[in-house]
C-alpha cells in the first residue's frame, strides 16, 4: 500500500538534513512472478460521497504538487523561451538564446543566477529525433553545457567531463535507435524536453567579455530530423492550481516517468493527471476541484516552509549534496528548484549557502554589517565566488557599486599574508572603504552562496567548510 506524501509531508521535513536514507525493510519484489497473479484492469475507485471525494483529491493534489513542482517550474521557462511567440524571451526549440551580459538584478530566465559566467539557454525537443551539438575549442576557458531533464536531474558536457578541446555530440533520448555519424559522440538524456544551461566563464574586463560573447556563437545546435513536432501546449502563465495540474498532466503524457514511479503517478489519476480521466472532467466536479485547490495550497506551504532547510549543518551552512540528482526525494527536489532552477551536480559546482550568522540569527542588512574570513578560500579547480541574494526575491541585490560577488578573479582583491580573504558585507557603502573586499547587501534579509566550480577533494570530502559569518560590532 502506497503511503501518501500528504500523510508524511510534515513529519518528513527532517529528511532534508541530507542524512543517508535508511535501508528498506525488505527488498522490492515482482508480484507477476507469482503463479496465477493477475493485474488490475480498471482505474481505482472514485468515492461517491462528495466529502470523501474532496479528501481524496486533496491528498492526491498534495502528492502531485510536491512531485511536479520542478517539472512545472521548468516547463514555465520552456514555455516562455520555446513556445510563446509573443514572449520577449522567445527563440523556439533547438536554438540558443545567448545572454550577452553577466547576470544582474532582475535577471529574467531563472532565480539565483551566478554573476561569474555568461548564460546561454536552449530547450531541446527530441521527440522527433536527436539534435547535433557542436562544442568549440574554448582554449582553456571554463564552460559547462549543463543538461537538465524536465525534473531538474543534471548531466554535463563540460571542461570537467570532456576537456577544453570541444567536439560534436549527438543528443538523444534513451530510447532512440539510429546511426551515430563518424566523429560524433552519442550523449543520451532522459526526457525529450531537455534544457541546456550553458555557462561560460568571463574574466573581469571588457575585452574578455567580448571574447566570451564571440565564443558563445560557436556553440551550435542542429536538429537531425528537421522541425519539432507541432503540439498543443498548456498555458505556461496560468499559475492557478488547475494550471499547475494541466502542465503536470502534459509533462507526464509527453515525457513519461521513470521506471519505479508507476504507482505514484497512478495515484494522480483521480484528479485528472496522466490517466483516463481528463483535467477538465476532474475540475467539473466541485468536490474534486475544491480538493485539488486545497492540496495544491497545502503542498506550496510545505515547500515554502522548507526553503532554508536544504541540508543544514550545525555551522549554519547548507551543503546540498544531492542537488541535480534527486532520485525519489521529491520534496527536496521541489525545494531546490523553487529556490532556483538549473542546479548542477556538486561534482561540477559545489555550492554552500546560509541564511544565518554565527549566532544562528537571520542575516539582515537592516540590523548589522557582517564579516567573513576565508582562511583559506574555497579550493576549486576552475573558480570560486561569494554572492549575495535578496531572500524575498531570490535575486541579485541592486547597489551603487554594481558589485554582485567577490571571487578569485575580483580585481584588486586583498589577501592577507597567509592567503586568507576577509569579506565585509554592508549596505552602508560610505561607512567602509570601497575596496574590492566589500560586498553590498540589501536593507533587509539576505542569504549568501559560495560556489566552488570544479571542487577539489578537500571540499568533496568535507575537510574544507565555509567559515561563520559574524556581525561587525566595532
Amino acid at each position: 500500500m502506497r503511503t501518501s506524501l500528504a500523510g508524511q509531508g510534515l513529519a518528513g521535513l527532517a529528511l532534508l538534513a541530507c542524512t543517508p536514507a535508511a535501508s528498506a525493510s525488505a527488498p522490492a519484489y515482482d508480484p507477476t512472478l507469482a503463479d496465477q497473479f493477475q493485474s488490475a484492469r480498471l482505474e481505482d475507485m472514485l468515492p461517491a460521497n462528495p466529502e470523501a471525494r474532496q479528501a481524496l483529491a486533496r491528498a492526491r493534489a498534495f502528492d502531485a504538487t510536491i512531485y511536479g513542482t520542478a517539472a512545472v517550474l521548468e516547463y514555465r521557462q520552456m514555455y516562455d523561451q520555446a513556445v510563446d511567440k509573443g514572449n520577449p524571451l522567445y527563440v523556439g526549440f533547438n536554438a540558443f538564446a545567448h545572454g550577452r551580459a553577466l547576470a544582474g538584478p532582475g535577471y529574467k530566465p531563472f532565480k539565483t543566477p551566478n554573476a561569474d559566467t555568461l548564460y546561454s539557454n536552449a530547450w531541446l525537443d527530441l521527440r522527433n529525433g536527436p539534435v547535433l551539438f557542436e562544442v568549440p575549442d574554448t582554449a582553456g576557458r571554463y564552460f559547462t553545457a549543463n543538461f537538465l531533464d524536465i525534473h531538474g536531474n543534471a548531466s554535463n558536457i563540460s571542461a570537467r567531463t570532456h576537456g577544453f578541446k570541444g567536439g560534436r555530440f549527438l543528443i538523444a533520448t534513451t530510447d532512440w535507435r539510429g546511426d551515430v555519424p563518424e566523429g560524433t559522440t552519442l550523449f543520451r538524456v532522459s526526457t525529450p524536453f531537455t534544457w541546456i544551461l550553458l555557462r561560460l566563464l568571463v574574466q573581469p574586463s571588457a575585452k574578455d567579455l567580448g571574447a566570451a560573447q564571440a565564443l558563445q556563437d560557436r556553440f551550435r545546435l542542429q536538429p537531425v530530423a528537421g522541425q519539432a513536432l507541432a503540439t498543443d501546449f498548456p498555458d505556461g502563465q496560468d499559475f492557478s492550481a488547475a494550471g499547475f495540474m494541466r502542465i503536470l498532466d502534459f509533462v507526464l503524457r509527453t515525457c513519461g516517468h521513470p521506471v519505479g514511479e508507476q504507482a505514484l503517478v497512478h495515484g494522480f489519476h483521480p484528479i485528472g493527471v496522466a490517466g483516463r480521466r481528463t483535467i477538465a472532467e476532474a475540475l467539473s466536479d466541485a468536490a474534486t476541484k475544491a480538493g485539488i485547490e486545497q492540496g495544491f495550497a497545502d503542498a506550496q506551504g510545505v515547500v515554502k516552509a522548507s526553503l532554508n532547510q536544504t541540508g543544514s549543518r550545525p555551522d549554519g551552512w547548507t551543503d546540498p549534496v544531492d542537488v541535480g540528482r534527486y532520485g525519489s526525494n521529491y520534496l527536496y527536489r521541489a525545494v531546490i528548484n523553487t529556490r532556483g532552477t538549473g542546479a548542477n551536480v556538486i561534482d561540477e559546482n559545489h555550492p554552500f549557502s546560509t541564511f544565518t550568522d554565527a549566532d544562528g540569527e537571520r542575516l539582515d542588512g537592516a540590523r548589522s554589517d557582517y564579516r567573513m574570513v576565508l582562511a583559506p578560500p574555497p579550493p576549486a579547480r576552475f573558480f570560486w565566488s561569494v554572492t549575495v541574494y535578496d531572500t524575498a526575491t531570490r535575486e541579485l541585490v541592486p547597489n551603487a557599486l554594481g558589485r554582485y560577488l567577490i571571487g578569485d578573479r575580483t580585481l584588486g582583491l586583498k589577501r592577507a599574508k597567509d592567503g586568507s580573504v576577509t569579506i565585509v558585507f554592508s549596505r552602508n557603502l560610505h561607512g567602509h572603504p570601497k575596496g574590492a573586499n566589500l560586498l553590498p547587501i540589501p536593507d533587509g534579509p539576505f542569504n549568501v552562496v559560495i560556489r566552488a566550480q570544479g571542487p577539489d577533494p578537500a571540499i568533496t570530502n568535507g575537510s574544507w567548510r565555509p567559515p561563520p559569518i559574524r556581525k561587525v560590532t566595532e
Side-chain angles (χ1 to χ4, degrees), residues 373-377 413-422 437:
V373 181
L374 296 169
L413 184 69
K414 296 179 180 178
R415 299 175 183 265
K417 291 182 179 180
D418 63 358
S420 64
V421 173
T422 298
N437 292 40

Side-chain angles (χ1 to χ4, degrees), residues 9 53 64 80 97 161 173 185 332 379 406 408:
R53 203 160 58 248
D80 289 347
T161 61
T173 54
T185 300
Y332 182 73
I406 290 175
D408 56 351

Side-chain angles (χ1 to χ4, degrees), residues 29 49 97 120 128 134 186 197 285 288 316 435 450:
Y29 63 92
N49 179 280
S120 299
N128 202 30
E134 296 184 34
L186 179 63
L197 180 53
D285 173 56
T288 299
I450 296 177

Side-chain angles (χ1 to χ4, degrees), residues 173-212:
T173 54
T174 57
D175 60 350
W176 178 78
R177 298 293 179 268
D179 296 327
V180 179
E182 186 176 352
T184 302
T185 300
L186 179 63
F187 189 86
R188 293 194 183 273
V189 294
S190 57
T191 58
F193 292 127
T194 291
W195 175 23
I196 302 180
L197 180 53
L198 175 65
R199 300 171 175 92
L200 196 62
L201 184 63
V202 178
Q203 301 298 333
S205 74
K207 182 179 179 180
D208 193 68
L209 176 61

Side-chain angles (χ1 to χ4, degrees), residues 237-285:
Q237 296 298 321
D238 184 349
F239 295 93
S240 67
F244 182 101
M245 297 305 165
R246 289 190 187 98
I247 293 172
L248 180 58
D249 176 63
F250 173 83
V251 166
L252 290 172
R253 292 182 190 274
T254 306
C255 297
H257 57 265
V259 172
E261 293 184 350
Q262 292 91 329
L264 178 63
V265 172
H266 184 89
F268 306 155
H269 292 185
I271 58 173
V273 174
R276 297 174 185 173
R277 194 182 194 199
T278 66
I279 294 286
E281 290 170 340
L283 294 173
S284 67
D285 173 56

